[in-house]
Amino acid sequence: METLKSISGKNLENVNKLKKEFFKDVISKVGSNNTIIFYCRYYEELFYRHLILKNSFIESDTKITQIVAEITKWVWEEDYIEDSDIGNITFSIFQDYFDKVYEVHQSNVAFLSEHFNIFKAEILENKTVQFNYASKEIEFYENVNNLLITDYRENKAKWFANAIASGKKLKRYINGRYHANHFLNIEFELPDDYSVLGYSIRQLKEFWFHIYNDAWEIKEHNYNLFKILATGKKKLIHDKLDDFRILEINPSKWKLRTLTYEIVGNLLEMFSYNGQKKLGVIHSSLISEPIVQLPDSRYIVIANIILTHEPERYSLQVFDKYISHYQNHGVKVPTDDSRREDIFIDRLNYVFNNYKYKKDSVNIPGSDIDYIVFDENSKTLICFELKWIIEPFTPSEITKKEKSLEKALKKQLPTYKNALEESTSQTLKKAFGNNFSETPINYFYFVLTNISVGSGLLDRSTYKIVNIRMLEKALDESKGDLEKLSRILIEEKYIQNASNYFDSKMSKQNCLGINIIQPEFRYKGGFSLEK
């Protein structure tokens, strides 16, 4: 019986062999830039064809993005080849390699997830490996976090849809500029003067505005092209693929306000993808860095990738990687990260506006309690440890991001509990003033996040992790009774049936000669934390 290590080794050999064949059959014949540009156009064609490949159907445009990313990475790893006529090879060759890279992606996901203990592997006969979640908890919170992120995105999408509807009602001209302005004002929750690595949110919004505005025109063209071809029942392949446009970024045409061309260049470098590690160590992704860098140094954008991008969430994720890198090397980094807690506290003050007793940064021996609130009616005290999580994307990032949540569960909340329940009067007078004379009957402790709540690798047997929208919904449902609110959050009422919102299956894919079976799920819809 083969071992997982030997199967993984054979898979790597097969991938390396495929890379050499891809270089010989594609890159060397049409050129480095043309290879990437072709597959970017192919993405647009697949997007409008509802993700139907030659021999299969892909349920997520994210997978298509990752296939384009893998191909881009392969091109950059090879010697630069001058561009030649794209017609030097047939469309079917391009298509066949795209399908094969899809197999590579599927195997990469499975083996990487196993390496970071998210999956466990079972070797079956006939060169087959079955991957399952390492525990029911890991599978459960994988579903939960997908729901919470989806709820977050759909909530913003509603605001955006309302803004567009309002504009139409007022008979505004709904063009790319209008879309970009309203989208970015909704997408970015941090204030314009908030700064990360010396770049302000105002500058980031201006940077993304130009790209979104230009991409909108490209999308309109591609969509209209698709409708013409579909109406005429023509195949959306071969010679027609060249008609799908890709945006080439040209900052010289931008009218800059808060930006300079030097800053634009820096941001293009940071938010672009070529598959290579930045500064030699920072991993990148076409999901978080949606601008493709060509080998000849041009920057291009796939319209339907950029227009579904989440610029605040992913920009902060990219900045976070650079900040960690610099700090690990002892470099002081200009950032307003500490303001995130202030912004979080402002939101909590708004949420608990009707409560007389609430306080942030309560000093206790060896620490500070981030936020506490007391309900005079139910005699309930709630203590929050605040965690503004920069959403992890890869299994390795999940592992790293868990550390702050694990610290909150194992160290910070127990410390708060000891201070509050052993020196109750002293601590609460410090928080609410010397005239505070109430004695709490109920004590509750939570880790509060902005969106996701950590993976199933965390031990939640004593304390729970909740996000701000779960808190707001529970407050509304409990009609302000903080004891009832806490019971709702402890029983995980809103997420306990997370699996009901997904169609789950075990997908089987032959990945370069190795049969890989792994869990996949598709969101069915219906989940909402709306009050």
Side-chain angles (χ1 to χ4, degrees):
M1 177 70 84
E2 288 189 280
T3 65
L4 184 65
K5 185 176 181 180
S6 66
I7 292 175
S8 177
K10 287 182 180 178
N11 180 68
L12 183 59
E13 289 177 9
N14 292 337
V15 171
N16 288 332
K17 180 181 177 183
L18 181 64
K19 285 182 180 179
K20 292 178 181 178
E21 293 171 350
F22 181 70
F23 177 78
K24 177 174 67 72
D25 294 341
V26 178
I27 302 173
S28 65
K29 293 185 178 178
V30 301
S32 301
N33 302 308
N34 274 350
T35 298
I36 294 174
I37 291 171
F38 175 90
Y39 284 109
C40 288
R41 287 197 175 108
Y42 191 39
Y43 176 100
E44 289 285 83
E45 192 253 354
L46 286 173
F47 184 90
Y48 288 116
R49 263 202 305 139
H50 307 294
L51 312 181
I52 301 172
L53 289 184
K54 184 178 181 181
N55 299 312
S56 61
F57 170 78
I58 295 182
E59 294 180 346
S60 170
D61 58 319
T62 299
K63 288 185 179 180
I64 302 292
T65 303
Q66 290 167 331
I67 297 168
V68 173
E70 188 72 18
I71 289 171
T72 301
K73 178 174 176 285
W74 288 9
V75 171
W76 270 83
E77 288 173 346
E78 299 290 349
D79 292 336
Y80 179 75
I81 303 296
E82 292 289 341
D83 291 329
S84 304
D85 185 358
I86 203 80
N88 286 344
I89 57 179
T90 63
F91 181 87
S92 62
I93 292 177
F94 282 112
Q95 197 174 31
D96 287 341
Y97 274 108
F98 194 87
D99 289 1
K100 289 176 182 177
V101 178
Y102 171 54
E103 296 176 21
V104 172
H105 165 70
Q106 290 291 86
S107 64
N108 285 347
V109 169
F111 283 109
L112 191 61
S113 295
E114 189 278 335
H115 178 74
F116 286 100
N117 299 317
I118 294 172
F119 283 172
K120 62 179 179 181
E122 180 183 1
I123 300 172
L124 308 177
E125 57 185 12
N126 299 323
K127 296 183 179 179
T128 300
V129 184
Q130 179 165 322
F131 294 87
N132 293 289
Y133 282 105
S135 70
K136 290 183 179 179
E137 290 75 19
I138 289 176
E139 180 176 11
F140 174 73
Y141 283 103
E142 182 84 359
N143 286 336
V144 166
N145 286 319
N146 271 279
L147 284 180
L148 297 179
I149 291 171
T150 299
D151 170 71
Y152 171 80
R153 294 178 65 178
E154 290 184 347
N155 185 50
K156 286 195 171 184
K158 288 178 184 176
W159 295 350
F160 180 60
N162 289 338
I164 298 301
S166 176
K168 289 180 177 178
K169 189 175 181 180
L170 294 171
K171 297 183 179 181
R172 298 280 176 82
Y173 179 47
I174 311 298
N175 58 2
R177 187 179 188 86
Y178 186 92
H179 270 261
N181 270 324
H182 282 78
F183 174 75
L184 292 170
N185 285 332
I186 290 169
E187 175 64 24
F188 280 89
E189 296 181 355
L190 293 172
D192 283 354
D193 63 345
Y194 183 97
S195 177
V196 189
L197 281 177
Y199 305 106
S200 70
I201 293 298
R202 184 179 289 105
Q203 290 173 321
L204 282 182
K205 287 164 76 172
E206 182 183 347
F207 174 79
W208 288 118
F209 166 81
H210 289 294
I211 295 173
Y212 275 70
N213 184 40
D214 293 345
W216 181 260
E217 294 181 13
I218 300 293
K219 179 195 172 183
E220 290 286 283
H221 167 86
N222 289 347
Y223 181 61
N224 289 331
L225 172 65
F226 165 76
K227 288 194 295 184
I228 291 170
L229 295 174
T231 302
K233 296 182 179 180
K234 297 178 181 179
K235 288 185 177 181
L236 304 182
I237 54 176
H238 300 299
D239 58 321
K240 294 299 177 185
L241 191 68
D242 286 344
D243 293 336
F244 284 96
R245 292 178 184 170
I246 299 298
L247 171 65
E248 182 177 335
I249 296 177
N250 185 0
S252 66
K253 295 183 178 180
W254 296 357
K255 292 182 180 179
L256 304 184
R257 296 181 179 179
T258 64
L259 294 171
T260 64
Y261 288 114
E262 181 181 0
I263 291 174
V264 170
N266 293 339
L267 293 177
L268 281 171
E269 171 64 25
M270 294 184 75
F271 296 123
S272 63
Y273 173 86
N274 60 21
Q276 311 308 299
K277 293 180 181 178
K278 296 176 181 179
L279 302 181
V281 293
I282 299 175
H283 288 273
S284 61
S285 161
L286 191 52
I287 303 294
S288 55
E289 292 109 304
I291 301 167
V292 178
Q293 185 181 21
L294 295 175
D296 65 2
S297 298
R298 285 179 292 160
Y299 294 99
I300 62 173
V301 165
I302 302 172
N304 277 305
I305 286 183
I306 199 70
L307 293 172
T308 55
H309 182 64
E310 298 171 70
E312 182 182 67
R313 181 175 157 216
Y314 287 123
S315 294
L316 292 177
Q317 186 185 100
V318 171
F319 281 136
D320 193 53
K321 293 178 185 179
Y322 279 87
I323 290 169
S324 296
H325 169 73
Y326 291 131
Q327 290 178 340
N328 288 340
H329 287 78
V331 179
K332 289 185 177 181
V333 180
T335 177
D336 285 346
D337 280 1
S338 60
R339 287 184 62 191
R340 292 180 196 172
E341 186 170 307
D342 296 334
I343 294 166
F344 219 153
I345 288 168
D346 287 343
R347 185 165 178 181
L348 284 175
N349 285 335
Y350 176 79
V351 169
F352 293 117
N353 181 56
N354 294 328
Y355 295 83
K356 180 179 179 180
Y357 297 110
K358 53 186 178 289
K359 186 70 171 70
D360 63 274
S361 303
V362 180
N363 183 257
I364 58 173
S367 186
D368 285 320
I369 300 174
D370 283 347
Y371 198 92
I372 59 175
V373 58
F374 179 71
D375 177 10
E376 296 175 89
N377 295 324
S378 65
K379 307 299 181 187
T380 298
L381 184 75
I382 303 181
C383 171
F384 295 105
E385 170 60 25
L386 308 181
K387 297 293 182 184
W388 187 305
I389 302 296
I390 303 297
E391 303 304 315
F393 184 74
T394 66
S396 61
E397 288 172 6
I398 290 172
T399 302
K400 292 176 183 176
K401 294 297 180 184
E402 302 285 67
K403 291 180 181 178
S404 66
L405 293 174
E406 186 176 29
K407 179 183 177 183
L409 293 170
K410 290 186 174 181
K411 184 177 180 181
Q412 291 170 299
L413 289 187
T415 300
Y416 302 168
K417 184 177 188 296
N418 289 339
L420 282 167
E421 296 183 26
E422 292 181 8
S423 305
T424 305
S425 178
Q426 179 184 352
T427 303
L428 295 184
K429 285 182 182 296
K430 194 179 293 184
F432 303 134
N434 290 328
N435 293 329
F436 183 80
S437 58
E438 300 272 8
T439 301
I441 297 174
N442 308 298
Y443 296 82
F444 296 98
Y445 306 86
F446 297 98
V447 181
L448 184 67
T449 70
N450 50 325
I451 308 178
S452 63
V453 293
S455 78
L457 295 168
L458 295 167
D459 180 5
R460 304 162 200 260
S461 57
T462 305
Y463 305 106
K464 299 297 182 183
I465 306 173
V466 300
N467 81 358
I468 186 71
R469 279 177 58 78
M470 293 164 67
L471 174 67
E472 290 171 334
K473 185 175 178 65
L475 182 64
D476 181 70
E477 184 175 330
S478 65
K479 300 188 185 307
D481 185 326
L482 294 192
E483 181 185 2
K484 289 181 181 178
L485 172 148
S486 299
R487 303 291 180 196
I488 289 171
L489 296 178
I490 286 173
E491 70 180 33
E492 298 187 317
K493 177 179 179 179
Y494 305 128
I495 60 174
Q496 60 183 343
N497 297 316
S499 60
N500 294 346
Y501 296 94
F502 294 94
D503 282 329
S504 300
K505 67 177 183 178
M506 296 297 290
S507 70
K508 184 175 182 178
Q509 177 81 37
N510 185 298
C511 299
L512 306 182
I514 300 171
N515 295 313
I516 290 180
I517 303 173
Q518 60 183 312
E520 291 193 353
F521 51 82
R522 180 181 63 84
Y523 177 56
K524 295 190 293 186
F527 179 81
S528 176
L529 290 173
E530 285 292 296
K531 294 184 284 185

Short mmCIF file of all heavy atoms in Angstrom, two decimals, residues 23 27-28 30-37 75 78-83 294-295:
data_model
loop_
_atom_site.label_atom_id
_atom_site.label_comp_id
_atom_site.label_asym_id
_atom_site.label_seq_id
_atom_site.Cartn_x
_atom_site.Cartn_y
_atom_site.Cartn_z
N PHE A 23 4.76 24.51 -21.28
CA PHE A 23 5.73 25.46 -21.83
C PHE A 23 6.00 25.14 -23.29
O PHE A 23 5.99 26.04 -24.15
CB PHE A 23 7.04 25.43 -21.04
CG PHE A 23 8.10 26.35 -21.60
CD1 PHE A 23 8.06 27.71 -21.37
CD2 PHE A 23 9.11 25.84 -22.39
CE1 PHE A 23 9.02 28.56 -21.90
CE2 PHE A 23 10.08 26.67 -22.94
CZ PHE A 23 10.03 28.04 -22.69
N ILE A 27 3.29 28.14 -24.17
CA ILE A 27 4.07 29.37 -23.95
C ILE A 27 5.08 29.61 -25.07
O ILE A 27 5.20 30.72 -25.59
CB ILE A 27 4.78 29.32 -22.59
CG1 ILE A 27 3.77 29.13 -21.46
CG2 ILE A 27 5.57 30.60 -22.36
CD1 ILE A 27 4.41 28.91 -20.09
N SER A 28 5.82 28.57 -25.44
CA SER A 28 6.89 28.73 -26.43
C SER A 28 6.35 29.07 -27.82
O SER A 28 7.07 29.59 -28.67
CB SER A 28 7.74 27.46 -26.52
OG SER A 28 6.97 26.38 -27.01
N VAL A 30 3.14 30.82 -28.41
CA VAL A 30 2.38 32.07 -28.52
C VAL A 30 2.97 33.20 -27.69
O VAL A 30 2.57 34.36 -27.85
CB VAL A 30 0.90 31.85 -28.10
CG1 VAL A 30 0.26 30.79 -28.98
CG2 VAL A 30 0.77 31.50 -26.64
N GLY A 31 3.91 32.89 -26.80
CA GLY A 31 4.56 33.93 -26.01
C GLY A 31 4.03 34.03 -24.60
O GLY A 31 2.92 33.58 -24.29
N SER A 32 4.81 34.61 -23.72
CA SER A 32 4.48 34.70 -22.29
C SER A 32 3.25 35.56 -22.04
O SER A 32 2.31 35.15 -21.36
CB SER A 32 5.68 35.26 -21.51
OG SER A 32 6.81 34.44 -21.68
N ASN A 33 3.25 36.79 -22.57
CA ASN A 33 2.12 37.69 -22.33
C ASN A 33 0.84 37.15 -22.96
O ASN A 33 -0.22 37.17 -22.34
CB ASN A 33 2.41 39.08 -22.89
CG ASN A 33 3.65 39.70 -22.30
OD1 ASN A 33 3.80 39.77 -21.09
ND2 ASN A 33 4.57 40.13 -23.16
N ASN A 34 0.95 36.68 -24.20
CA ASN A 34 -0.22 36.19 -24.91
C ASN A 34 -0.86 35.00 -24.21
O ASN A 34 -2.08 34.82 -24.26
CB ASN A 34 0.14 35.81 -26.35
CG ASN A 34 0.07 36.99 -27.30
OD1 ASN A 34 -0.42 38.06 -26.92
ND2 ASN A 34 0.56 36.82 -28.50
N THR A 35 -0.04 34.16 -23.59
CA THR A 35 -0.58 33.00 -22.87
C THR A 35 -1.49 33.46 -21.74
O THR A 35 -2.62 32.99 -21.59
CB THR A 35 0.56 32.13 -22.30
OG1 THR A 35 1.36 31.64 -23.39
CG2 THR A 35 -0.01 30.96 -21.51
N ILE A 36 -1.00 34.40 -20.94
CA ILE A 36 -1.80 34.89 -19.81
C ILE A 36 -3.03 35.63 -20.29
O ILE A 36 -4.15 35.42 -19.79
CB ILE A 36 -0.94 35.81 -18.91
CG1 ILE A 36 0.19 35.00 -18.25
CG2 ILE A 36 -1.80 36.48 -17.84
CD1 ILE A 36 1.16 35.85 -17.46
N ILE A 37 -2.88 36.48 -21.32
CA ILE A 37 -4.00 37.25 -21.84
C ILE A 37 -5.09 36.34 -22.39
O ILE A 37 -6.28 36.57 -22.17
CB ILE A 37 -3.53 38.24 -22.92
CG1 ILE A 37 -2.68 39.35 -22.27
CG2 ILE A 37 -4.71 38.85 -23.67
CD1 ILE A 37 -1.98 40.25 -23.27
N VAL A 75 3.70 30.67 -16.07
CA VAL A 75 4.32 31.51 -17.10
C VAL A 75 5.48 32.29 -16.51
O VAL A 75 6.57 32.37 -17.11
CB VAL A 75 3.28 32.46 -17.73
CG1 VAL A 75 3.97 33.47 -18.65
CG2 VAL A 75 2.22 31.68 -18.50
N GLU A 78 8.88 30.51 -15.99
CA GLU A 78 9.66 30.12 -17.17
C GLU A 78 10.40 31.32 -17.75
O GLU A 78 10.14 32.47 -17.39
CB GLU A 78 8.72 29.53 -18.24
CG GLU A 78 7.98 28.28 -17.82
CD GLU A 78 8.91 27.08 -17.68
OE1 GLU A 78 10.09 27.15 -18.10
OE2 GLU A 78 8.45 26.05 -17.14
N ASP A 79 11.33 31.04 -18.66
CA ASP A 79 12.02 32.12 -19.37
C ASP A 79 11.02 32.92 -20.18
O ASP A 79 10.01 32.39 -20.66
CB ASP A 79 13.08 31.54 -20.31
CG ASP A 79 14.23 30.88 -19.54
OD1 ASP A 79 14.45 31.27 -18.38
OD2 ASP A 79 14.88 29.98 -20.11
N TYR A 80 11.30 34.20 -20.35
CA TYR A 80 10.40 35.08 -21.10
C TYR A 80 10.45 34.73 -22.58
O TYR A 80 11.52 34.60 -23.18
CB TYR A 80 10.80 36.54 -20.90
CG TYR A 80 9.93 37.52 -21.66
CD1 TYR A 80 8.65 37.81 -21.21
CD2 TYR A 80 10.38 38.11 -22.83
CE1 TYR A 80 7.83 38.69 -21.91
CE2 TYR A 80 9.59 39.00 -23.54
CZ TYR A 80 8.30 39.29 -23.06
OH TYR A 80 7.50 40.16 -23.76
N ILE A 81 9.27 34.58 -23.17
CA ILE A 81 9.15 34.27 -24.60
C ILE A 81 8.40 35.41 -25.29
O ILE A 81 7.33 35.82 -24.85
CB ILE A 81 8.38 32.94 -24.83
CG1 ILE A 81 9.07 31.78 -24.10
CG2 ILE A 81 8.25 32.65 -26.32
CD1 ILE A 81 10.47 31.46 -24.59
N GLU A 82 8.99 35.92 -26.37
CA GLU A 82 8.34 36.99 -27.12
C GLU A 82 7.00 36.50 -27.68
O GLU A 82 6.86 35.34 -28.04
CB GLU A 82 9.24 37.46 -28.28
CG GLU A 82 10.51 38.18 -27.84
CD GLU A 82 10.22 39.56 -27.27
OE1 GLU A 82 9.12 40.10 -27.55
OE2 GLU A 82 11.09 40.10 -26.57
N ASP A 83 6.06 37.41 -27.76
CA ASP A 83 4.72 37.03 -28.20
C ASP A 83 4.66 36.75 -29.70
O ASP A 83 5.31 37.43 -30.51
CB ASP A 83 3.72 38.13 -27.85
CG ASP A 83 3.50 38.25 -26.35
OD1 ASP A 83 3.60 37.21 -25.66
OD2 ASP A 83 3.23 39.36 -25.86
N LEU A 294 1.73 41.24 -16.12
CA LEU A 294 2.29 40.49 -17.24
C LEU A 294 3.81 40.50 -17.17
O LEU A 294 4.41 41.41 -16.58
CB LEU A 294 1.83 41.11 -18.56
CG LEU A 294 0.32 41.05 -18.86
CD1 LEU A 294 0.01 41.80 -20.15
CD2 LEU A 294 -0.15 39.61 -18.96
N PRO A 295 4.46 39.53 -17.78
CA PRO A 295 5.93 39.48 -17.77
C PRO A 295 6.60 40.70 -18.37
O PRO A 295 7.76 41.01 -18.06
CB PRO A 295 6.24 38.22 -18.58
CG PRO A 295 5.06 37.34 -18.36
CD PRO A 295 3.89 38.29 -18.34
#
